[in-house]
Amino acid sequence: MGSRIHGEAMPTHLRQATVESTVSVVGFLQGVLRYCAPDRASHGWARMCMYQASDAMDTLGRLTGVIAAQLADNGLNRQAIQHLLRAEDEHLRTAQPPQLPEILRTSHDLAYMPPWLYDWVQRSVAKVLLLLRQVVKESQDDRNEDWFGHCLYQLASMLDELGRLITAIAAVNADSMSHDTLTRYQHLFQQRSRSRMPDADDERYLAGLLGRPGDGEATTWYAIGLAQAGRKERPLQRGSPEGRVLHTLEALDAALRPFRWDDARGRPLDHTRDTAIIYLDALTAVEGEDDDDFPPLYWLPLHEQAAAAAAATVIFGAVPLPGPAADQMKDASGAEGHR
């Protein structure tokens, strides 16, 4: 295999797809964290977390599928592709989650996300963020004959991580939500098994990325591929949304590089989780809040706002903070200086 068939590095058109998928997934992960916050309880944390996490999973699935389509286009047989996708071990989301008999699950009990589930959410978001960074690194290497195997391994791990997380959220809410509701909140109508990859839409997406003539039928994924192909020669600006996301992931990678980041089960350690969440909050802070009447990250405790602002300063330079959080950040800096 290797460079004889798939090139010495990821092709340019797939690099563009990777960048744009990465930006979308990071946005969905920010949404997952945002809807965990107590002030959004009335919006339905379970519904919105399942929406956002499912969209992240499906975006990763489409990137996985178009890479598989590229391998098939290069002549790799379906059995070999399925092996690379680890399709036989995948964890899909489901409207019939396993029962959790020892947990209270009435609507009243679930007005807010249970603390143990919040920890699970944070660790899953951290893991996906770190694996996403690895895919970006693999895609950008100028000489990487095994780019496809490495990227597909990380993508499959992210898909399974999100599948397990969404299943856990569904299981917690199984007694208070109907089968149809769980189906709708998890976007099961758009879920795809890796055993079906690459499918016709993956092939159309690839055709669009390559600028090949369409098959006579205007399709969404062909149009998306064409649009992305038109952006691939444009230099990436550091201050652009794409540049901020990639720069945040690069900074997170550098911050954690000296440390082991997971335990024997592959779960992020506390330090890893905390750092990843702080860096994602920092990105949220510089992007601005969705309601101009409130300061950035107003839903977080002041010490978490200050930690995010400190990280944003490291990553991007100064970032505005509301008064109390700014004071807390100064107090923390002063205490550090007197040690």
Side-chain angles (χ1 to χ4, degrees):
M1 228 182 282
S3 61
R4 292 176 298 170
I5 300 177
H6 307 300
E8 294 183 348
M10 178 182 279
T12 304
H13 57 278
L14 291 183
R15 292 185 182 188
Q16 183 63 33
T18 299
V19 168
E20 299 205 18
S21 296
T22 295
V23 173
S24 294
V25 170
V26 168
F28 292 132
L29 296 179
Q30 289 172 296
V32 170
L33 289 183
R34 180 67 188 90
Y35 279 97
C36 293
D39 73 299
R40 291 296 170 102
S42 61
H43 294 260
W45 65 263
R47 170 173 62 92
M48 294 307 300
C49 286
M50 283 190 278
Y51 277 162
Q52 299 281 333
S54 296
D55 283 342
M57 187 175 177
D58 292 336
T59 301
L60 291 168
R62 188 57 65 185
L63 179 60
T64 303
V66 77
I67 292 174
Q70 179 69 69
L71 299 184
D73 194 64
N74 292 348
L76 191 63
N77 66 64
R78 191 169 188 84
Q79 182 178 2
I81 292 172
Q82 290 292 296
H83 177 70
L84 288 168
L85 293 173
R86 293 188 283 156
E88 69 280 359
D89 297 322
E90 69 180 340
H91 193 116
L92 294 169
R93 52 194 194 265
T94 175
Q96 296 179 316
Q99 291 295 306
L100 302 175
E102 297 181 1
I103 296 175
L104 297 175
R105 298 186 300 274
T106 67
S107 297
H108 177 74
D109 296 323
L110 297 174
Y112 301 100
M113 179 177 284
W116 67 267
L117 184 57
Y118 182 56
D119 179 71
W120 188 334
V121 167
Q122 288 199 321
R123 290 182 196 276
S124 289
V125 166
K127 182 172 183 176
V128 172
L129 207 61
L130 288 163
L131 293 177
L132 198 56
R133 167 58 183 162
Q134 297 308 309
V135 170
V136 172
K137 285 174 65 176
E138 297 284 352
S139 74
Q140 293 176 337
D141 285 347
D142 291 329
R143 186 170 183 83
N144 183 0
E145 296 180 0
D146 294 323
W147 64 267
F148 54 93
H150 295 162
C151 287
L152 289 178
Y153 185 89
Q154 308 290 2
L155 285 163
S157 296
M158 285 186 274
L159 288 167
D160 290 339
E161 181 65 32
L162 288 170
R164 284 188 287 267
L165 172 63
I166 297 163
T167 297
I169 296 173
V172 168
N173 290 274
D175 288 348
S176 58
M177 294 182 183
S178 69
H179 178 279
D180 288 346
T181 298
L182 288 174
T183 296
R184 189 167 68 254
Y185 287 177
Q186 295 178 85
H187 291 167
L188 292 186
F189 63 91
Q190 66 187 28
Q191 178 172 238
R192 295 190 304 151
S193 168
R194 298 201 294 271
S195 64
R196 294 169 48 197
M197 297 179 187
D199 64 13
D201 278 339
D202 295 323
E203 293 164 357
R204 295 185 184 109
Y205 184 17
L206 177 63
L209 287 169
L210 290 169
R212 292 174 177 170
D215 56 9
E217 179 185 357
T219 64
T220 299
W221 282 103
Y222 180 73
I224 290 173
L226 278 178
Q228 290 182 352
R231 293 190 287 269
K232 71 181 179 183
E233 301 301 333
R234 201 167 59 192
L236 191 64
Q237 301 296 322
R238 181 166 173 169
S240 67
E242 296 88 351
R244 286 196 297 266
V245 167
L246 296 185
H247 189 54
T248 300
L249 293 179
E250 183 179 358
L252 174 62
D253 183 47
L256 290 174
R257 195 173 298 143
F259 308 101
R260 175 172 179 168
W261 65 265
D262 59 354
D263 61 19
R265 298 176 299 161
R267 303 296 292 160
L269 299 169
D270 290 354
H271 170 72
T272 307
R273 174 203 58 202
D274 294 344
T275 304
I277 298 304
I278 287 170
Y279 274 58
L280 193 55
D281 285 340
L283 177 62
T284 302
V286 300
E287 289 176 335
E289 167 55 21
D290 57 1
D291 188 333
D292 293 336
D293 293 333
F294 296 95
L297 303 177
Y298 73 89
W299 60 89
L300 293 178
L302 290 180
H303 70 279
E304 292 183 22
Q305 292 182 34
T313 301
V314 171
I315 302 168
F316 304 107
V319 60
L321 264 181
D327 293 341
Q328 182 150 353
M329 185 176 172
K330 290 177 184 175
D331 292 344
S333 299
E336 187 69 28
H338 286 90
R339 286 181 184 175

